Amino acid sequence: MAVHAHPDDESSKGAATLAKYVAEGHDVMVVTLTGGERGDVLNPAMDRPGILENLPEVRREEMAKAAAALGVQHDWLGYMDSGLPEGDPLPPLPDDCFALVPLEESTGRLVEVIRSFKPHVIVTYDENGGYPHPDHIRCHEVSVAAFEAAGDADQYPDAGEPWTPLKLYYTHGFIRARILRFSEAFEKEGGENPFADWLSKWKTDQGDLMARVTTQVTCGDYFAQRDDALRAHATQVDPNGFFFAVPLSWQQELWPTEEFELAQTRVTTSIPETDLFSGIEQS
C-alpha cells in the first residue's frame, strides 16, 4: 500500500516499483488522502477554459487513468487539499483543509483502509514530506500513526478487524547522485544539461538522501508504465517538461532503480535490500 497526499504523487514517487509488484502478482493499492483541489494547472496545454473551474473532477479522472496505467487498486480518503502556502509570513491554512484535520480522525480513516486491504508493506513520505508541503508532512504523520495503530484491537475498534502491517518505508526520489549521473551523460553527449541550474542551486547543507536509503528496487522495465501514469495527470505534468528530460534508455541503463528507506520493520531483514518484501516470506 502506497499512501500519498495528492493525485499525481503516486506516479512521481515509486511508481515503477508499484507496477513491478503488480506484474509479479502482488495486490497493490494506492491511497490518496486529498483530491488535489487547490492545485494549479501546471501543463500549458491544459490551461484552457473548463479545466481549472472543474479541477476536482478532472483530477479524479486523471487519477483513474494513472491507476489503470500502473495496474494498481485505488482508494480516496476524501480530504480537502491544503494548498501550498506562499509568502512571508506564510498565510494561515484554509479551515477545511486536510492538514488541520485532527490526527486521530484521519488516522482512524486510514486504519480502516489498512484493515480492509491488509497490506504487508506500507510506503509513504519521510518526516519532511519529501518536500515541505503541509499535506505531505501530514501524510507522513497519519501513515506512521496508522501503521502503529492498525494491529491494535484497542485502537479504533469500529474500523474493522485488526491487521498488523510488517514493514513501513519512506520513498526517496531527490537523489543527488542520480541527478549527477544523468548530468554527466548530457555533458558527455554534448547536449544541454537540464539539471545544471538545479545543481548549481543545491545547498551544501542539504546533504544527499542516498545516505538514508536502505532499499533499491530494480524496476527499469516498468519506467514506461510510470511515464504513462505521469502523462495521465495531464493538468500537473507537462509531457515536454522536467519529468521526461532524460531519455528512457539512459534511465534504464544508468539508474534502473527506485529508492526507499526502511523506517520500521516487524520482521528480520538484511540491509541493504533489493526487495520491499525482503524478510516477509520467512515471517
Side-chain angles (χ1 to χ4, degrees), residues 108-109 111-113 115-116 150 152-162:
R109 293 281 308 283
V111 164
E112 185 174 0
V113 178
R115 289 176 178 175
S116 174
D152 185 348
D154 293 331
Q155 297 195 57
Y156 306 102
D158 297 328
E161 291 294 319

Side-chain angles (χ1 to χ4, degrees), residues 220-237:
D221 289 346
Y222 301 91
F223 285 173
Q225 277 182 257
R226 173 206 63 194
D227 288 355
D228 286 344
L230 280 167
R231 282 187 286 266
H233 291 287
T235 61
Q236 306 301 301
V237 179

Side-chain angles (χ1 to χ4, degrees), residues 60-83:
R60 290 186 76 88
E61 293 172 1
E62 292 176 343
M63 184 64 236
K65 293 176 182 177
L70 297 175
V72 300
Q73 301 175 50
H74 181 254
D75 200 356
W76 299 94
L77 226 59
Y79 290 108
M80 176 66 72
D81 185 357
S82 302

Side-chain angles (χ1 to χ4, degrees), residues 84-108:
L84 182 59
E86 295 179 307
D88 186 14
L90 292 174
L93 292 172
D95 291 339
D96 61 351
C97 76
F98 168 61
L100 296 183
V101 172
L103 183 61
E104 182 178 356
E105 177 187 328
S106 47
T107 298

